[in-house]
Amino acid sequence: MSVVIRFVCRVLLISAVFRGVFISSARAELLPASSPYGAASVTRNIPYTDNPTPRQNFDLYLPGISNGKPLPFIVWIHGGAWIMGIKDWDNVKYLVSHGYALASIDYRIAPRDQFPAQIQDCNTALNFIIAHAADYGLNPKELIIGGASAGGHLALLLGLARSEKSFGANPSIRPLAILDFFGYTDLNHAMDDLQAIHAEKGIKLFQDVGPKLLGAPVDQSADKLSLASPIRYLNVNSSPTLILDGSKDDLVPAIQGQHLHQAMDALGLKNQFILVPGAGHDGPLFSTPEIQAQVVSFLAGVLAKPGSHNQP
């Protein structure tokens, strides 16, 4: 092991001790500065419920350098069309090197577990992490929720539907911000939006996974589609939201993000809509230095906002 790596490991261990992190050092894996997360520690497969299934756990990444104060943190939800995916699919690894902790969660998937199992797991994970925030060295008042694709949809539901009892939401928990990367915002209009851009691939996928998620064909599931649509939960207290969509996305049309952007504007809610030119559904264009800088800037602006309802 090089002198540099030994030094980084020592710094990580010391910073973890001073943050009072409730994680056994024997379980924590130290990541070098060259990792996508920068110099960091990660504890994997932390269960968030009693008697968990193999998918009911999360990985917790902590930045290696800390000022000793509780950390702002991101609860990240991976994509995979609600039927697959793993928590390693976290699109904002770079935020750890900017001083954010990152809790990347797994959740039950369809068709074995149908909606609302997915959002119920997200709320269970969120409730657990908030309950243990002090143990992990996290600031519960600097909570950010984010996700990509199906995870973007679930992140919006988790962040906006804070009073939906059937989701297991604790209304006292409200995120400081939401990051939606190319997620569905209005499932009732999904087919219309896909047909409008002649997205045959997206139409076939939605017709395939919709029944697996909802338990019935999409054309017979208006009520369930409404229940699962983040846009219906908007209110004047909704959290600031950053919406990223690709201009050439044929799985989740960019108009879905525009629907949410326009609805938030109508309510006077802080939001930012970024249309990534030439981008499809996910891909490297969403992680360019320019896009990363805009994400970092959005979060910094929210964290610094005086009078925020989540500020101490």
Side-chain angles (χ1 to χ4, degrees), residues 213-291:
L213 179 68
L214 303 173
V218 292
D219 59 358
Q220 301 173 22
S221 304
D223 289 345
K224 289 186 176 180
L225 289 171
S226 181
L227 181 68
S229 291
I231 199 168
R232 69 165 288 194
Y233 299 99
L234 280 178
N235 61 69
V236 295
N237 296 313
S238 293
S239 301
T241 302
L242 177 63
I243 307 159
L244 276 78
D245 281 296
S247 68
K248 294 186 177 180
D249 193 335
D250 61 353
L251 296 182
V252 179
I255 189 66
Q256 282 279 312
Q258 292 171 350
H259 291 325
L260 183 63
H261 168 57
Q262 292 165 0
M264 294 190 79
D265 276 354
L267 289 172
L269 296 168
K270 178 179 176 60
N271 75 98
Q272 183 178 353
F273 176 73
I274 299 175
L275 184 65
V276 182
H281 193 70
D282 208 345
L285 291 178
F286 287 96
S287 58
T288 64
E290 293 77 14
I291 293 298

Side-chain angles (χ1 to χ4, degrees), residues 142-211:
E142 293 185 337
L143 160 69
I144 297 140
I145 294 171
S149 191
H153 161 256
L154 291 171
L156 288 170
L157 272 187
L158 184 62
L160 297 175
R162 297 309 312 150
S163 298
E164 182 54 55
K165 293 181 179 179
S166 69
F167 293 169
N170 179 348
S172 69
I173 300 173
R174 288 190 177 272
L176 197 63
I178 304 169
L179 303 176
D180 164 35
F181 286 23
F182 40 90
Y184 271 113
T185 69
D186 187 350
L187 293 179
N188 284 114
H189 289 91
M191 285 298 295
D192 289 342
D193 292 340
L194 287 164
Q195 290 168 349
I197 62 170
H198 308 290
E200 294 300 322
K201 183 179 178 181
I203 292 170
K204 290 179 181 179
L205 180 63
F206 193 73
Q207 289 176 330
D208 176 46
V209 301

Side-chain angles (χ1 to χ4, degrees), residues 106 109 198 230 307:
D106 258 343
I109 56 176
H198 308 290

Side-chain angles (χ1 to χ4, degrees), residues 52-208:
T53 71
R55 296 192 63 87
Q56 291 174 310
N57 61 78
F58 67 99
D59 294 343
L60 180 63
Y61 298 83
L62 299 173
I65 304 300
S66 168
N67 59 10
K69 296 180 180 179
L71 296 165
F73 69 103
I74 301 153
V75 172
W76 184 262
I77 309 169
H78 67 76
W82 307 287
I83 60 172
M84 62 179 182
I86 56 175
K87 58 185 181 296
D88 288 344
W89 298 358
D90 46 354
N91 299 57
V92 290
K93 295 176 175 67
Y94 57 90
L95 290 178
V96 177
S97 63
H98 285 272
Y100 295 88
L102 174 65
S104 188
I105 69 173
D106 258 343
Y107 53 91
R108 289 172 292 166
I109 56 176
R112 177 174 178 175
D113 295 287
Q114 295 175 346
F115 187 84
Q118 294 73 32
I119 189 60
Q120 288 170 344
D121 278 359
C122 292
N123 270 297
T124 300
L126 175 60
N127 295 343
F128 178 90
I129 294 166
I130 291 292
H132 293 277
D135 299 323
Y136 296 140
L138 310 178
N139 186 345
K141 295 184 178 181
E142 293 185 337
L143 160 69
I144 297 140
I145 294 171
S149 191
H153 161 256
L154 291 171
L156 288 170
L157 272 187
L158 184 62
L160 297 175
R162 297 309 312 150
S163 298
E164 182 54 55
K165 293 181 179 179
S166 69
F167 293 169
N170 179 348
S172 69
I173 300 173
R174 288 190 177 272
L176 197 63
I178 304 169
L179 303 176
D180 164 35
F181 286 23
F182 40 90
Y184 271 113
T185 69
D186 187 350
L187 293 179
N188 284 114
H189 289 91
M191 285 298 295
D192 289 342
D193 292 340
L194 287 164
Q195 290 168 349
I197 62 170
H198 308 290
E200 294 300 322
K201 183 179 178 181
I203 292 170
K204 290 179 181 179
L205 180 63
F206 193 73
Q207 289 176 330
D208 176 46

